[in-house]
């Protein structure tokens, strides 16, 4: 059984609603959604996302501020193509979403971990050289951390001062297990701006329906100032000509009647129950060796080995023998140093399966420690 | 009116069939097509494409030889990412599909025009240095040219000898206006291979449903040896995680009952009539200044200025004044030298609109030539 994946619960997918939305979308738009692009995506969906963003942030967002993408992953790829010249510096929340590291690898960037204390003057100098800052403030993958409002505002101040860009990746927004995370960094950027015109701030905000509806539509979006949207759209044109207007039109049908928000009323209680089942069993069986913060949203618990006693790369072999999987911290670490934590998913499996997974993890740890003791004894003979 | 676009006729899109296929696909696969990937795409569609390719070529193609992409354009992007290091050489049929030039521009390749006579020993040397050859043998965009079987075989021989790759881009296969184009270069590669195992030749073949069904599904594919498919899939993972299984499942529904092939029985007679309307009017009004080969398939007539007397970049302004558009040859030319031809589309508009477009083009040419005569007189004073 796998506690490794980063997927929503398949059995909660609103299959019939998507089916009805597909029928309605084709009836409504007809041949217009059988065409290539526009590369920026379906205008009505861009307008809806702009209107929602205006309402949520208090700013002025137009369709010109929105580019639709093949999930947020394509947005990361396009941002890499537009912003990163080979070897340039990215300041990134660390540990970092694996997909972002993958997307940007062809540009061979260098990375500096984002120090949230923001007090180091060397950090200011680095920020001035950086092409952008990458942050997942809501329930980050892999750590599940929620970044405080004070830190969001302080980071934005630094970004504005340095004259760089900030990429705010927000795929887990709908997965609020314990209350609202508060305003996005984009909202703070709106609040800072003095003009009354369309948004022209330094934040590129990435949204998606992958968690609020279904991943398979592959509908995500970038919100940014209009010139940046044009640059990203030109680059998208050279990457796939355009996304599928059909899947965008399905998302439009569902979002127009606020179905994505309503659907979270179904999913969130399920995910909360699963998180709690994981933590209950982990408190019993894993807390001798691991510690963690309770995530208030998202899909993951980030378990850190106490005193760095357990190498989660080395533990993995023993977990596989117990037929349980997690993701070791090393894959999220651009410094390559963190081998003492693991990402454990709680959205994909039932509470019973999760509890069994934790029991297997506990056995794997016992076997790993026992093998290491034997090894150490053999060496000391 | 526009004779510039490269689009099928919107009014022929099988809207109701796509609608029914969407309903059936969701009923059949349920939540399985609401998920992320597999990155290679929907297995059943990969198997169908492999089976069709086996039947068409006489080779052995498996799902492992097929990667589904967001149209052929994403295939071009992925090929660039996998194969081209900055500044490397591509040998390309010239003039070249604009989208390919766009896709590969970030890699800053150098280009050598493909000389179909294949007799120049310098060409052999260049081929040995080239990362791949790019060819659109069936009704190329922009010229509409059909490459002969003898040239296909001769080119493949050279490619095998040089130990390089050959990218065969075949989006217009379904648009056969005057008979079959004969075997693909991929078929010849199959015929050359000695083993009985799965395909392992040097040809990467690109297919798509954009012309045989609708562009808006954004379903294309690469057929290649399995190791190359794995490399392309890894790169796709870092570009968009996966395409939409939903649109792939819709394509599957339609292709399983051979609807794409049957649909060409509707579209091809319409396109043939439109091509003939274009050529009839052009023979009357444009043949004084332009010459062309009659395209036996595809979407375009490539009109070359007799004696290079008309600069189609300069003509464009006069065409715009007459409210008619075409695509000047300069945009397809990586050497930047060809400014004496134009691509004229015949699939998008009715015969009447096409004929009116040609009349406007003729007027634009008269005005262009008259303005040039005035300019020349003024200079000679």
């Amino acid at each position: 059984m796998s506690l490794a994946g980063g997927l929503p619960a398949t059995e909660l997918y609103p299959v019939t609603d998507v089916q009805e939305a597909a029928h309605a979308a084709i009836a409504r738009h007809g041949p217009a959604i059988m065409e290539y692009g526009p590369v920026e995506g379906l205008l009505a969906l861009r307008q809806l996302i702009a209107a929602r963003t205006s309402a949520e942030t208090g700013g002025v967002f137009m369709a010109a501020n929105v580019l639709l993408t093949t999930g947020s992953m394509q947005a990361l790829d396009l941002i890499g193509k537009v912003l990163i010249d080979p070897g340039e510096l990215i300041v990134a929340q660390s540990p970092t979403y694996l997909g972002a590291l993958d997307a940007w690898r062809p540009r061979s960037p260098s990375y500096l971990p984002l120090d949230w204390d923001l007090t180091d003057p060397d950090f200011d100098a680095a920020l001035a050289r950086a092409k952008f800052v990458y942050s997942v403030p809501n329930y980050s993958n892999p750590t599940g951390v929620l970044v405080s409002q004070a830190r969001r505002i302080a980071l934005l101040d630094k970004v504005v001062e340095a004259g760089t860009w900030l990429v705010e990746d927000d795929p887990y927004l709908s997965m609020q297990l314990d209350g609202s995370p508060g305003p996005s960094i984009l909202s703070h950027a709106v609040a800072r701006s003095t003009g009354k015109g369309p948004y022209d701030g330094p934040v590129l905000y990435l949204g998606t329906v992958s968690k609020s509806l279904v991943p398979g539509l592959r509908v995500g979006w970038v919100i940014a100032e209009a010139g940046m949207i044009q640059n990203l759209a030109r680059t998208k044109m050279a990457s796939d000509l355009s996304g599928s207007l059909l899947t965008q039109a399905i998302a439009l049908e569902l979002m127009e009647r606020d179905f994505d928000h309503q659907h979270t009323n179904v999913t969130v209680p399920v995910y909360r129950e699963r998180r709690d089942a994981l933590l209950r069993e982990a408190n019993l069986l894993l807390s001798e060796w691991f510690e963690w913060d309770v995530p208030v949203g998202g899909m993951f618990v980030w378990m850190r080995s106490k005193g760095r006693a357990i190498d989660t790369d080395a533990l993995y072999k023993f977990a596989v023998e117990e037929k349980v999987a997690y993701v070791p911290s090393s894959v999220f670490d651009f410094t390559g140093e963190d081998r003492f934590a693991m990402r454990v998913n709680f959205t994909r499996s039932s509470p019973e399966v999760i509890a069994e997974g934790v029991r297997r993890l506990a056995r794997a740890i016992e076997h790993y420690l026992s093998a290491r003791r034997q090894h150490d004894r053999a060496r000391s003979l």
Side-chain angles (χ1 to χ4, degrees), chain A:
Chain A
M1 67 194 44
S2 176
L3 305 177
L7 286 161
T10 310
E11 68 274 22
L12 299 180
Y13 288 156
V15 173
T16 310
D17 300 273
V18 173
Q19 192 178 39
E20 288 168 8
H23 194 89
I26 296 173
R28 169 178 169 183
H29 301 276
I33 54 168
M34 309 275 159
E35 295 276 24
Y36 292 106
V39 66
E40 295 87 353
L42 189 70
L43 181 61
L45 181 55
R46 295 167 67 213
Q47 288 170 331
L48 182 146
I49 292 167
R52 276 191 177 188
T53 308
S54 299
E56 284 159 14
T57 64
V60 180
F61 291 85
M62 319 290 285
N65 297 112
V66 182
L67 173 72
L68 303 183
T69 54
T70 306
S72 292
M73 187 68 189
Q74 188 183 39
L76 295 171
D77 179 54
L78 298 177
I79 287 168
K81 284 174 163 173
V82 166
L83 281 181
I84 311 173
D85 282 326
E88 286 189 315
L89 180 67
I90 299 170
V91 173
Q93 192 166 333
S94 174
T96 307
Y97 170 49
L98 185 55
L101 297 178
D102 284 346
W104 299 330
R105 189 164 293 120
R107 325 293 298 173
S108 309
S110 58
Y111 286 98
L112 183 75
L114 175 54
D115 175 2
W116 283 106
D117 285 340
L118 302 171
T119 50
D120 184 351
D122 288 351
F123 181 76
D124 293 0
L127 211 55
R129 282 187 297 117
K131 275 322 264 285
F132 59 85
V133 176
Y134 177 67
S135 176
V136 186
N138 289 332
Y139 329 124
S140 172
N141 179 352
T143 62
V145 158
L146 177 69
V147 174
S148 72
Q149 289 297 323
R151 286 184 167 181
R152 296 178 193 214
I153 293 167
L155 177 62
L156 180 64
D157 286 344
K158 291 281 186 189
V159 164
V160 170
E161 203 177 305
T164 188
W165 298 97
L166 193 156
V167 177
E168 179 178 26
D169 192 0
D170 200 12
Y172 312 114
L173 176 65
S174 65
M175 302 178 130
Q176 302 175 14
L177 306 187
D178 298 325
S180 161
S184 61
I185 306 179
L186 180 68
S187 297
H188 294 297
V190 166
R192 281 185 63 107
S193 77
T194 49
K196 288 194 187 307
Y199 174 71
D200 63 354
V203 176
L204 286 75
Y205 177 95
L206 312 189
T208 176
V209 303
S210 291
K211 277 75 186 184
S212 62
L213 289 170
V214 294
L217 291 177
R218 309 305 295 120
V219 173
W221 53 87
V222 188
I223 295 168
E225 60 96 7
M228 174 61 71
I229 293 295
Q230 284 170 31
N231 285 338
L232 293 168
R234 256 194 302 276
T235 301
K236 181 169 165 61
M237 174 81 89
S239 301
D240 65 7
L241 282 182
S242 73
S244 170
L245 295 184
L246 172 57
T247 59
Q248 293 167 9
I250 295 172
L252 174 68
E253 289 297 316
L254 294 165
M255 291 170 75
E256 270 184 348
R257 53 191 176 90
D258 216 36
F259 178 83
D260 54 329
H261 290 149
Q262 292 160 28
H263 185 55
T264 61
N265 296 335
V266 175
T267 56
V268 160
V270 174
Y271 294 144
R272 194 183 292 122
E273 184 193 3
R274 292 176 178 194
R275 176 200 61 184
D276 294 347
L278 170 62
L279 294 179
R280 197 164 45 238
E281 203 72 15
N283 274 324
L284 288 174
L285 297 177
L286 303 182
S287 56
E288 180 180 348
W289 306 294
F290 284 88
E291 57 193 353
W292 52 84
D293 300 314
V294 175
V296 295
M299 302 199 283
F300 308 111
V301 177
W302 185 245
M303 298 192 173
R304 300 179 305 277
S305 161
K306 289 181 177 174
R308 301 187 157 208
I310 294 177
D311 179 322
T312 52
D313 280 351
L315 173 65
Y316 198 77
K317 184 178 70 164
F318 296 87
V320 168
E321 278 174 16
E322 294 292 330
K323 296 192 171 38
V324 63
Y326 60 84
V327 184
S329 50
S330 59
V331 307
F332 303 103
D333 184 18
F334 50 74
T335 70
E337 286 167 17
D338 186 355
R339 299 191 319 281
F340 306 101
M342 58 184 173
R343 189 190 82 177
V344 182
N345 172 271
F346 56 78
T347 53
R348 188 66 168 174
S349 310
S350 70
E352 296 69 32
V353 169
I354 289 172
E356 171 60 20
V358 171
R359 289 191 287 273
R360 292 181 184 202
L361 262 181
R363 285 203 298 273
I365 293 168
E366 302 270 17
H367 295 159
Y368 161 79
L369 292 172
S370 158
R372 205 171 61 180
R373 277 190 300 271
Q374 285 188 1
H375 179 77
D376 290 350
R377 268 200 301 274
R379 284 190 59 183
S380 67
L381 285 180

